[in-house]
């Protein structure tokens, strides 16, 4: 029986073992490319791969589980083992990861009074239910049972969030009860307060940081009780949010020096080895002074690009790693090509208002309800009402609204409110006729994934709509998760300047990675053969959406663009180069 221990160092079967790991999130990469990314990780000299586990993907609805396709966690772990890699799993209910609500399911927020990441029994019950299923997969894959998993994390950067040590102990015990036998770690910011708040007895504290290795390891050493030093997230780049002015990059020269020092003094997990993509509506957001939703690409200026290409960082890091281990010879087995499929013209189009009833049935209520109360987690929601008593609209205000609202009067856009604009009354001063139709299209831009605002992330309108100072009642709700676009009827008409769907088709002889250039379009999301590629927004920095070849098929393919601002051009382009800003 194989054994992994933590004493004064890491020990694998009694021999000292230096963890040289890289982060790969299986849920951000199509499974056909897992082998390619793992082979490249091994070829850089890494002996371990680390991954988070995204709860919201594996349990999209309470009690409904998915571990297939892109979410086949067991297959990913066994593939790593096949290639001779060990695995670190971070299954904590919260992962941050610039992922929607930090990986927590949006449906948690349907419950009034829900408290996250603390000894709040309704939350812990959901964790227990989920872990019972998850660890049926993970427990047999631990090293003592013949699998490759050598470490598991109890919680993630908890010291940045709270100080409920009973919660940390409870989380550890839930994992023990579900069969965890490998050693535990925690990971926190490299400062006294974070390490003090986030650590728990029986788990090795590790640090997350991107520079200042010696200084930060000195602080960490005070908490390891003589155990090994490890940076569990060596940040080699950073993430982009919409409107940040350009693609974020790390300091390669300095990070190379820091990596060398980490391997001299301890162990490392490089975050990210390859970032991948926030497909669908899975990007997270941060909120300090303002909302900053992350872009679709999670390139992260990682060691490999979003599309898995080698970077200068790869070669520099490989040279450093070669000082501490033998670099293996690896034959890359996955053929990947990039293709330009040229300019595509709109084939069909239909307006959202015209096809609304094809996408969802109206739900009636006196008050506007948020998505979560209507069993919806992601996408858009449209609120509709008739103005029977108002003589005009002088002002409108949405209370408890998140994140971005397009407001229409008789299907003509009259205002867009985003983030902090939703906290204020909007002056519009428009005459209306009795029975005028008011529509409010609200987009969930990605729930905040860090900090106390996570508990206040209901999307849509959670309180009320004020018109001319009074609350307006009686609403139709149309849930638009956009997971049923096959129901679109493109024969139903179209209104210029309003939200709409645009269909493109193109024939493929050889499939290859390609990149959707959305120049000239405003804001929305794109779908390829029914797969949600993610969001686009003209404000950048990202200018093209990554389309991995396995999402294409030989023969005819279909792209649908959902444009919310009514800003379109007659074409899109599929190019053979990325442009993340």
């Amino acid at each position: 029986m194989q054994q992994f221990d933590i004493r004064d160092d890491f020990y694998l079967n009694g021999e000292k073992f230096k963890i040289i790991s890289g982060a790969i999130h299986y849920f951000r990469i199509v499974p056909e490319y897992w082998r390619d990314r793992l082979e490249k990780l091994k070829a850089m000299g890494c002996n371990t791969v680390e991954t988070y586990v995204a709860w919201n993907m594996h349990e999209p609805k309470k009690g409904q589980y998915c571990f297939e396709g892109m979410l086949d966690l067991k297959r990913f772990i066994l593939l790593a083992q096949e290639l001779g890699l060990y695995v670190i799993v971070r299954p904590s209910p919260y992962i941050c990861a610039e992922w929607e609500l930090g990986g927590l399911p949006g449906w948690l927020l349907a419950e009034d009074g829900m408290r996250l990441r603390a000894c709040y029994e309704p939350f812990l019950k959901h964790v227990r239910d989920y872990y019972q299923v998850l660890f049926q997969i993970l427990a047999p894959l631990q090293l003592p049972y013949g699998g490759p998993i050598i470490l598991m994390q109890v919680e993630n950067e908890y010291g940045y969030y709270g100080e409920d040590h009973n919660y940390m102990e409870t989380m550890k015990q839930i994992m023990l009860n579900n069969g965890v036998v490998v050693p535990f770690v925690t990971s926190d910011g490299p400062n006294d307060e974070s390490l003090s708040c986030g650590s728990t007895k029986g788990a090795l504290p590790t640090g997350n940081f991107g520079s200042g290795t010696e200084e930060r390891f000195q602080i960490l050493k005070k908490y390891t009780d003589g155990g090994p030093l490890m940076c569990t997230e060596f940040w080699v780049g950073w993430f982009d949010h919409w409107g940040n002015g350009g693609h974020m990059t790390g300091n390669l020269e300095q990070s190379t020096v820091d990596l060398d020092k980490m391997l001299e003094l301890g162990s490392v997990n490089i975050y990210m080895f390859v970032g991948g993509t926030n497909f669908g509506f899975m990007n997270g957001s941060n909120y300090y002074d303002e909302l900053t939703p992350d872009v679709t690409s999670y390139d992260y200026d990682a060691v490999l690009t979003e599309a898995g290409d080698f970077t200068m960082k790869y070669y520099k890091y490989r040279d450093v790693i070669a000082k501490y281990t033998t670099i293996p010879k690896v034959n890359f087995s996955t053929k990947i090509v990039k293709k330009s499929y040229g300019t595509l013209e709109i084939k069909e189009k239909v307006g959202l208002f015209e096809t609304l009833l094809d996408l969802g049935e109206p739900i009636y209520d006196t008050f506007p309800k948020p998505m979560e109360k209507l069993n919806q987690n992601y996408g858009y929601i449209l609120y509709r009402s008739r103005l029977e008593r108002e003589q005009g609209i002088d002002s409108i205000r949405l209370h408890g609204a998140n994140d971005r609202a397009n407001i229409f009067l008789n299907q003509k856009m009259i205002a867009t409110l985003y983030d902090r604009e939703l906290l204020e009354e909007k002056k519009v001063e428009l005459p209306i006729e009795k029975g005028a139709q008011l529509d409010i299209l609200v987009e969930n831009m990605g729930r905040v994934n860090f900090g106390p605002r996570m508990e206040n992330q209901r999307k849509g309108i959670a309180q009320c709509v004020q018109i001319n100072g009074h609350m307006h009642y009686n609403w139709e709700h149309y849930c638009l998760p956009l997971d049923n676009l096959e129901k679109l009827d493109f024969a139903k008409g179209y209104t210029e300047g309003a939200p709409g769907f645009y269909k493109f088709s193109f024939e493929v002889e050889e499939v290859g990675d390609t990149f959707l250039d959305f120049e000239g379009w405003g804001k929305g999301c794109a779908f390829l053969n029914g797969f949600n590629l993610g969001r686009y927004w003209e404000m950048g920095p990202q200018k093209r959406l990554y389309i991995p070849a396995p999402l294409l098929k030989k023969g005819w393919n279909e792209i649908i663009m959902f444009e919310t601002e009514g800003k379109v051009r007659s074409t899109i382009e599929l190019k053979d180069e990325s442009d993340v800003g």
Side-chain angles (χ1 to χ4, degrees), residues 97-291:
E98 291 71 60
W99 193 252
E100 227 275 351
L101 200 60
L104 299 173
W107 50 257
L108 289 171
L109 301 177
E111 298 183 18
D112 293 333
M114 174 56 66
R115 305 306 303 267
L116 307 174
R117 304 179 69 197
C119 279
Y120 176 68
E121 188 52 39
F123 174 71
L124 291 176
K125 182 184 185 306
H126 291 307
V127 174
R128 290 189 184 98
D129 292 345
Y130 165 57
Y131 271 20
Q132 272 194 319
V133 176
L134 175 65
F135 280 91
Q136 289 178 24
I137 295 170
L138 291 180
L141 298 175
Q142 297 173 99
L143 188 70
Y145 304 137
I149 298 174
I150 56 173
L151 290 173
M152 289 203 201
Q153 180 176 271
V154 177
E155 236 271 8
N156 186 56
E157 295 186 333
Y158 189 68
Y160 280 140
Y161 185 81
E163 55 179 14
D164 186 350
H165 278 261
N166 289 333
Y167 167 68
M168 290 294 291
E169 182 61 30
T170 300
M171 284 302 308
K172 186 183 69 176
Q173 191 59 49
I174 293 173
M175 295 174 73
L176 289 170
N177 293 346
N178 281 282
V180 174
V181 296
V182 295
F184 291 112
V185 296
T186 58
S187 61
D188 283 287
N191 59 73
D192 288 298
E193 192 153 325
S194 290
L195 289 163
S196 175
C197 291
S199 59
T200 191
K201 188 176 180 180
L204 175 73
T206 67
N208 294 353
F209 54 89
S211 61
T213 299
E214 286 188 274
E215 173 190 352
R216 302 186 191 288
F217 269 180
Q218 279 299 117
I219 298 171
L220 180 61
K221 190 180 293 185
K222 294 189 291 182
Y223 296 87
T224 60
D225 193 26
L229 300 173
M230 180 170 177
C231 179
T232 299
E233 287 188 16
F234 174 40
W235 303 325
V236 301
W238 206 243
F239 53 91
D240 295 329
H241 67 79
W242 294 111
N244 71 350
H247 180 47
M248 302 290 286
T249 57
N251 184 323
L252 177 55
E253 183 178 349
Q254 183 58 53
S255 71
T256 304
V257 172
D258 276 299
L259 176 61
D260 197 352
K261 183 57 66 173
M262 281 179 198
L263 291 175
E264 177 189 330
L265 300 176
S267 291
V268 66
N269 176 57
I270 297 166
Y271 191 98
M272 296 289 300
F273 175 71
V274 55
T277 309
N278 298 319
F279 291 118
F281 298 122
M282 287 298 112
N283 66 280
S285 299
N286 280 284
Y287 205 118
Y288 297 101
D289 296 325
E290 61 181 353
L291 180 69

Side-chain angles (χ1 to χ4, degrees), residues 389-428:
R389 295 173 176 82
E390 292 79 5
Q391 304 302 306
I393 300 182
D394 298 323
S395 65
I396 187 167
R397 183 173 179 181
L398 314 183
H399 289 263
N402 290 309
D403 295 308
R404 191 173 188 272
N406 287 343
I407 304 173
F408 303 85
L409 183 64
N410 293 328
Q411 301 186 8
K412 300 294 183 184
M413 192 184 298
I414 61 172
T416 297
L417 303 177
Y418 175 54
D419 185 22
R420 301 190 70 82
E421 295 171 333
L422 292 163
L423 301 175
E424 302 171 353
E425 187 177 71
K426 175 70 173 178
K427 297 292 185 182
V428 289

Side-chain angles (χ1 to χ4, degrees), residues 380-394:
Y380 304 77
I381 183 168
L382 187 134
Y383 301 85
R384 172 170 288 176
S385 187
R386 296 285 177 177
L387 304 179
E388 301 288 354
R389 295 173 176 82
E390 292 79 5
Q391 304 302 306
I393 300 182
D394 298 323

Side-chain angles (χ1 to χ4, degrees), residues 52-64:
Y52 280 128
V53 179
W55 181 7
N56 62 345
M57 297 292 283
H58 290 298
E59 193 178 7
K61 303 282 187 183
K62 174 64 180 177
Q64 297 179 15

